[in-house]
Amino acid sequence: MKIWIDVTNTPHVNVLMPIYKHLQSKGHELIITARDFSETIPLLRKNGIEPIIIGSHHGKSRVRKTLGLLGRYWQLLTLVPKFDVAFSLGGSYTSPIAWLRRKKSITFSDNDFTTHKFITYLFSSYFIFPSYLKYEGAKKKFHLRDEQIKTFDGFKEDIYIADYTVDEHFLEQLPFKDFITIRPENLKAAYVPKDAVTIVPELFEVFKDQNILFLPRYEEEKKMAEGYLNIWYPDEPLNGLDVCYYTKAMLTGAGTFAREAALLGVPAVSFFPRKEFLAVDVVLQEQGKEFKSRDPQEIKDYVLNSAKQQPTTASSRTIGDTTRSKRVLAEVLGILDGIIEG
């Protein structure tokens, strides 16, 4: 069977790799397209995948976003080869294209804030959600049938944590062994308020006494690190789970890195620039595994207090039992096989 997978954002790559390998092992022919955005293309290539590159990010302007969206729809409609099933995280591109071609589409999502949700709900054939996601309102509004919605008990990050093995040579890529990690807010994302500002410069100031691994999304963000001898950023994408494993604490303006760190038992801070958080993040916060704040000093206090409870070195930390994550991966792959082969 020919399966089209569309990748539109950096965090999607890790989630899709175990799924990609599973579908490949089942003998399916896979068509991979990707949007040129952030580190998406380099990460795919790092995993041995050369995608068909279609479209790019068009900034925060609604007009440019709309034009870019429509332009990418047209390109996908005309450039994507024939397929039997479409699959993606978010589904905003794959579901309408599959609908127009009269093909089945599967949307995986844990995002409550996706701006194009209505497109996804209107055109997707099936949905795979974590059980924590609140989809009842959309189900009623868009008249979704029970058989269209499949849920699993876990987080999307479990899918790739399940088979994670520590890279013992990871620290050789860094100029230090003892560090915290900071990832900026994605201020260009549509789900972030227009008036949102970054607190990264303030974090740099309060953590001047710490080595900082800085993971900017965009070239212009690198300027924030100028003048600091304790801050280093890589030229190429690093393995996110290795970053989470070795760092003393993960500080991020989004959710993926925070959830990865939290599930690996590493102090995780999200300074997401909205009052509302994704349902999956709220669950981890309620469990005490993820800390939310946009107060730099409060964040530092949390990190320092958490460090006292951690092993003295990252190398003495253990991943812990991945049985739960392996169960989640098996559950998701079983759901996917059932839809594709059903």
Side-chain angles (χ1 to χ4, degrees), residues 27-317:
H28 298 298
E29 181 181 336
L30 305 179
I31 302 163
I32 311 297
T33 57
R35 182 175 61 156
D36 187 5
F37 174 54
S38 191
E39 299 128 332
T40 305
I41 306 301
L43 273 177
L44 283 170
R45 288 173 174 162
K46 193 172 183 178
N47 281 282
I49 297 175
E50 187 59 50
I52 302 170
I53 302 173
I54 299 178
S56 60
H57 193 261
H58 292 271
K60 204 171 177 69
S61 164
R62 287 188 178 182
V63 174
R64 290 182 62 190
K65 276 184 177 294
T66 301
L67 292 174
L69 185 72
L70 294 174
R72 191 165 193 264
Y73 279 145
W74 176 251
Q75 288 179 298
L76 291 170
L77 189 60
T78 55
L79 298 178
V80 174
K82 291 181 179 180
F83 60 87
D84 302 300
V85 181
F87 176 84
S88 73
L89 273 65
S92 57
Y93 290 104
T94 48
S95 58
I97 300 300
W99 183 82
L100 286 170
R101 292 197 183 184
R102 301 295 187 267
K103 298 297 181 181
K104 186 187 301 183
S105 64
I106 305 168
T107 293
F108 183 107
S109 180
D110 70 342
N111 193 323
D112 304 296
F113 302 150
T114 306
T115 55
H116 303 302
K117 282 191 298 184
F118 72 96
I119 295 175
T120 300
Y121 287 129
L122 280 174
F123 298 112
S124 287
S125 310
Y126 296 94
F127 303 87
I128 302 176
F129 296 141
S131 57
Y132 307 115
L133 191 128
K134 299 175 181 177
Y135 59 81
E136 291 81 5
K139 179 182 176 183
K140 182 177 180 180
K141 181 178 180 181
F142 294 96
H143 307 289
L144 302 179
R145 304 183 306 278
D146 288 339
E147 58 268 26
Q148 287 182 268
I149 301 174
K150 313 293 181 180
T151 63
F152 65 96
D153 186 18
F155 302 87
K156 80 172 188 296
E157 290 75 19
D158 281 310
I159 292 172
Y160 50 99
I161 287 176
D163 295 325
Y164 171 57
T165 55
V166 178
D167 180 357
E168 296 179 358
H169 302 287
F170 175 78
L171 290 175
E172 296 172 8
Q173 305 172 71
L174 277 57
F176 37 60
K177 295 182 179 180
D178 183 74
F179 62 96
I180 66 167
T181 303
I182 296 178
R183 173 79 157 174
E185 309 92 333
N186 191 358
L187 297 182
K188 294 184 180 182
Y191 54 77
V192 173
K194 281 188 174 182
D195 58 351
V197 295
T198 183
I199 66 166
V200 167
E202 297 170 70
L203 290 172
F204 284 169
E205 281 298 304
V206 299
F207 284 104
K208 283 194 296 186
D209 58 341
Q210 301 281 328
N211 291 324
I212 297 174
L213 171 60
F214 182 42
L215 301 177
R217 284 183 173 81
Y218 310 106
E219 191 66 30
E220 61 266 26
E221 292 174 333
K222 295 178 181 179
K223 295 179 181 179
M224 292 189 285
E226 291 179 355
Y228 290 94
L229 298 180
N230 63 314
I231 299 175
W232 180 84
Y233 54 80
D235 293 325
E236 301 291 336
L238 299 174
N239 182 295
L241 291 182
D242 284 327
V243 171
C244 290
Y245 175 81
Y246 283 102
T247 192
K248 291 195 296 185
M250 172 58 69
L251 286 58
T252 174
T256 298
F257 266 124
R259 291 189 292 274
E260 290 174 346
L263 292 172
L264 287 176
V266 176
V269 177
S270 177
F271 49 94
F272 186 55
R274 282 182 64 150
K275 291 182 179 179
E276 308 89 358
F277 277 72
L278 295 180
V280 287
D281 287 303
V282 172
V283 170
L284 287 172
Q285 289 160 12
E286 290 174 346
Q287 293 176 352
K289 296 177 180 178
E290 181 184 313
F291 182 69
K292 64 174 181 177
S293 176
R294 282 186 63 78
D295 182 320
Q297 188 57 53
E298 188 176 52
I299 291 173
K300 184 172 185 180
D301 292 341
Y302 172 79
V303 169
L304 294 180
N305 289 332
S306 298
K308 295 176 183 177
Q309 305 168 28
Q310 295 295 308
T312 53
T313 63
S315 59
S316 62
R317 182 183 297 137

